PDB file of all heavy atoms in Angstrom:
ATOM      1  N   GLY H 209     -16.306  -7.025  22.920  1.00 84.00           N
ATOM      2  CA  GLY H 209     -17.097  -6.385  21.877  1.00 84.00           C
ATOM      3  C   GLY H 209     -17.314  -7.283  20.675  1.00 84.00           C
ATOM      4  O   GLY H 209     -16.717  -8.353  20.573  1.00 84.00           O
ATOM      5  N   SER H 210     -18.198  -6.830  19.785  1.00 81.00           N
ATOM      6  CA  SER H 210     -18.471  -7.552  18.548  1.00 81.00           C
ATOM      7  C   SER H 210     -18.957  -6.548  17.528  1.00 81.00           C
ATOM      8  O   SER H 210     -19.338  -5.423  17.867  1.00 81.00           O
ATOM      9  CB  SER H 210     -19.549  -8.616  18.768  1.00 81.00           C
ATOM     10  OG  SER H 210     -20.809  -7.978  18.922  1.00 81.00           O
ATOM     11  N   LEU H 211     -18.957  -6.944  16.260  1.00 83.00           N
ATOM     12  CA  LEU H 211     -19.393  -6.038  15.208  1.00 83.00           C
ATOM     13  C   LEU H 211     -20.862  -5.670  15.408  1.00 83.00           C
ATOM     14  O   LEU H 211     -21.252  -4.506  15.252  1.00 83.00           O
ATOM     15  CB  LEU H 211     -19.189  -6.694  13.837  1.00 83.00           C
ATOM     16  CG  LEU H 211     -19.162  -5.741  12.642  1.00 83.00           C
ATOM     17  CD1 LEU H 211     -18.059  -4.713  12.782  1.00 83.00           C
ATOM     18  CD2 LEU H 211     -18.993  -6.500  11.343  1.00 83.00           C
ATOM     19  N   GLY H 212     -21.668  -6.659  15.777  1.00 80.00           N
ATOM     20  CA  GLY H 212     -23.092  -6.416  15.997  1.00 80.00           C
ATOM     21  C   GLY H 212     -23.319  -5.342  17.045  1.00 80.00           C
ATOM     22  O   GLY H 212     -24.181  -4.468  16.909  1.00 80.00           O
ATOM     23  N   CYS H 213     -22.521  -5.383  18.110  1.00 84.00           N
ATOM     24  CA  CYS H 213     -22.640  -4.401  19.190  1.00 84.00           C
ATOM     25  C   CYS H 213     -22.185  -3.018  18.715  1.00 84.00           C
ATOM     26  O   CYS H 213     -22.823  -1.999  19.012  1.00 84.00           O
ATOM     27  CB  CYS H 213     -21.812  -4.882  20.377  1.00 84.00           C
ATOM     28  SG  CYS H 213     -21.463  -3.610  21.560  1.00 84.00           S
ATOM     29  N   ALA H 214     -21.092  -2.995  17.950  1.00 91.00           N
ATOM     30  CA  ALA H 214     -20.570  -1.710  17.450  1.00 91.00           C
ATOM     31  C   ALA H 214     -21.569  -1.060  16.500  1.00 91.00           C
ATOM     32  O   ALA H 214     -21.740   0.167  16.517  1.00 91.00           O
ATOM     33  CB  ALA H 214     -19.219  -1.932  16.761  1.00 91.00           C
ATOM     34  N   ILE H 215     -22.248  -1.879  15.688  1.00 90.00           N
ATOM     35  CA  ILE H 215     -23.292  -1.342  14.798  1.00 90.00           C
ATOM     36  C   ILE H 215     -24.369  -0.664  15.633  1.00 90.00           C
ATOM     37  O   ILE H 215     -24.766   0.479  15.379  1.00 90.00           O
ATOM     38  CB  ILE H 215     -23.920  -2.467  13.935  1.00 90.00           C
ATOM     39  CG1 ILE H 215     -22.898  -3.022  12.944  1.00 90.00           C
ATOM     40  CG2 ILE H 215     -25.159  -1.951  13.193  1.00 90.00           C
ATOM     41  CD1 ILE H 215     -23.426  -4.163  12.063  1.00 90.00           C
ATOM     42  N   SER H 216     -24.839  -1.357  16.666  1.00 89.00           N
ATOM     43  CA  SER H 216     -25.907  -0.810  17.500  1.00 89.00           C
ATOM     44  C   SER H 216     -25.474   0.520  18.126  1.00 89.00           C
ATOM     45  O   SER H 216     -26.252   1.475  18.178  1.00 89.00           O
ATOM     46  CB  SER H 216     -26.286  -1.814  18.600  1.00 89.00           C
ATOM     47  OG  SER H 216     -26.648  -3.063  18.032  1.00 89.00           O
ATOM     48  N   GLU H 217     -24.242   0.598  18.597  1.00 93.00           N
ATOM     49  CA  GLU H 217     -23.758   1.848  19.186  1.00 93.00           C
ATOM     50  C   GLU H 217     -23.692   2.976  18.147  1.00 93.00           C
ATOM     51  O   GLU H 217     -24.076   4.110  18.425  1.00 93.00           O
ATOM     52  CB  GLU H 217     -22.363   1.651  19.796  1.00 93.00           C
ATOM     53  CG  GLU H 217     -22.366   0.945  21.130  1.00 93.00           C
ATOM     54  CD  GLU H 217     -21.141   1.321  21.969  1.00 93.00           C
ATOM     55  OE1 GLU H 217     -21.194   2.328  22.705  1.00 93.00           O
ATOM     56  OE2 GLU H 217     -20.128   0.610  21.872  1.00 93.00           O
ATOM     57  N   ALA H 218     -23.200   2.646  16.954  1.00 95.00           N
ATOM     58  CA  ALA H 218     -23.071   3.670  15.909  1.00 95.00           C
ATOM     59  C   ALA H 218     -24.441   4.174  15.472  1.00 95.00           C
ATOM     60  O   ALA H 218     -24.625   5.374  15.233  1.00 95.00           O
ATOM     61  CB  ALA H 218     -22.290   3.108  14.717  1.00 95.00           C
ATOM     62  N   VAL H 219     -25.405   3.269  15.382  1.00 93.00           N
ATOM     63  CA  VAL H 219     -26.764   3.676  14.997  1.00 93.00           C
ATOM     64  C   VAL H 219     -27.343   4.605  16.078  1.00 93.00           C
ATOM     65  O   VAL H 219     -27.927   5.649  15.765  1.00 93.00           O
ATOM     66  CB  VAL H 219     -27.670   2.430  14.793  1.00 93.00           C
ATOM     67  CG1 VAL H 219     -29.126   2.839  14.651  1.00 93.00           C
ATOM     68  CG2 VAL H 219     -27.220   1.656  13.556  1.00 93.00           C
ATOM     69  N   GLU H 220     -27.131   4.250  17.342  1.00 93.00           N
ATOM     70  CA  GLU H 220     -27.636   5.115  18.416  1.00 93.00           C
ATOM     71  C   GLU H 220     -26.945   6.482  18.385  1.00 93.00           C
ATOM     72  O   GLU H 220     -27.594   7.529  18.528  1.00 93.00           O
ATOM     73  CB  GLU H 220     -27.415   4.451  19.778  1.00 93.00           C
ATOM     74  CG  GLU H 220     -27.962   5.304  20.920  1.00 93.00           C
ATOM     75  CD  GLU H 220     -27.667   4.722  22.310  1.00 93.00           C
ATOM     76  OE1 GLU H 220     -27.656   3.482  22.467  1.00 93.00           O
ATOM     77  OE2 GLU H 220     -27.435   5.530  23.244  1.00 93.00           O
ATOM     78  N   ALA H 221     -25.633   6.479  18.170  1.00 95.00           N
ATOM     79  CA  ALA H 221     -24.874   7.741  18.174  1.00 95.00           C
ATOM     80  C   ALA H 221     -25.272   8.660  17.030  1.00 95.00           C
ATOM     81  O   ALA H 221     -25.051   9.870  17.090  1.00 95.00           O
ATOM     82  CB  ALA H 221     -23.376   7.440  18.118  1.00 95.00           C
ATOM     83  N   ALA H 222     -25.872   8.079  15.973  1.00 95.00           N
ATOM     84  CA  ALA H 222     -26.288   8.880  14.815  1.00 95.00           C
ATOM     85  C   ALA H 222     -27.599   9.620  15.082  1.00 95.00           C
ATOM     86  O   ALA H 222     -27.996  10.482  14.297  1.00 95.00           O
ATOM     87  CB  ALA H 222     -26.432   7.980  13.591  1.00 95.00           C
ATOM     88  N   ARG H 223     -28.268   9.277  16.179  1.00 92.00           N
ATOM     89  CA  ARG H 223     -29.572   9.894  16.469  1.00 92.00           C
ATOM     90  C   ARG H 223     -29.404  11.253  17.130  1.00 92.00           C
ATOM     91  O   ARG H 223     -29.813  11.460  18.269  1.00 92.00           O
ATOM     92  CB  ARG H 223     -30.394   8.964  17.383  1.00 92.00           C
ATOM     93  CG  ARG H 223     -30.971   7.779  16.647  1.00 92.00           C
ATOM     94  CD  ARG H 223     -32.099   7.135  17.428  1.00 92.00           C
ATOM     95  NE  ARG H 223     -32.330   5.768  16.931  1.00 92.00           N
ATOM     96  CZ  ARG H 223     -32.064   4.658  17.615  1.00 92.00           C
ATOM     97  NH1 ARG H 223     -31.600   4.729  18.863  1.00 92.00           N
ATOM     98  NH2 ARG H 223     -32.291   3.472  17.094  1.00 92.00           N
ATOM     99  N   LYS H 224     -28.760  12.166  16.428  1.00 91.00           N
ATOM    100  CA  LYS H 224     -28.681  13.547  16.892  1.00 91.00           C
ATOM    101  C   LYS H 224     -28.683  14.428  15.651  1.00 91.00           C
ATOM    102  O   LYS H 224     -28.302  13.976  14.571  1.00 91.00           O
ATOM    103  CB  LYS H 224     -27.446  13.782  17.762  1.00 91.00           C
ATOM    104  CG  LYS H 224     -26.135  13.366  17.135  1.00 91.00           C
ATOM    105  CD  LYS H 224     -24.971  13.470  18.108  1.00 91.00           C
ATOM    106  CE  LYS H 224     -23.699  12.904  17.462  1.00 91.00           C
ATOM    107  NZ  LYS H 224     -22.581  12.777  18.344  1.00 91.00           N
ATOM    108  N   PRO H 225     -29.118  15.687  15.793  1.00 93.00           N
ATOM    109  CA  PRO H 225     -29.260  16.537  14.607  1.00 93.00           C
ATOM    110  C   PRO H 225     -27.927  16.662  13.857  1.00 93.00           C
ATOM    111  O   PRO H 225     -26.869  16.827  14.486  1.00 93.00           O
ATOM    112  CB  PRO H 225     -29.685  17.893  15.181  1.00 93.00           C
ATOM    113  CG  PRO H 225     -30.221  17.592  16.543  1.00 93.00           C
ATOM    114  CD  PRO H 225     -29.487  16.396  17.035  1.00 93.00           C
ATOM    115  N   GLY H 226     -27.999  16.588  12.532  1.00 96.00           N
ATOM    116  CA  GLY H 226     -26.808  16.778  11.714  1.00 96.00           C
ATOM    117  C   GLY H 226     -25.982  15.534  11.506  1.00 96.00           C
ATOM    118  O   GLY H 226     -24.904  15.598  10.908  1.00 96.00           O
TER     119      GLY H 226
END
Side-chain angles (χ1 to χ4, degrees):
Chain H
S210 73
L211 199 59
C213 163
I215 293 179
S216 304
E217 283 206 87
V219 169
E220 182 184 325
R223 285 198 199 111
K224 53 187 174 188

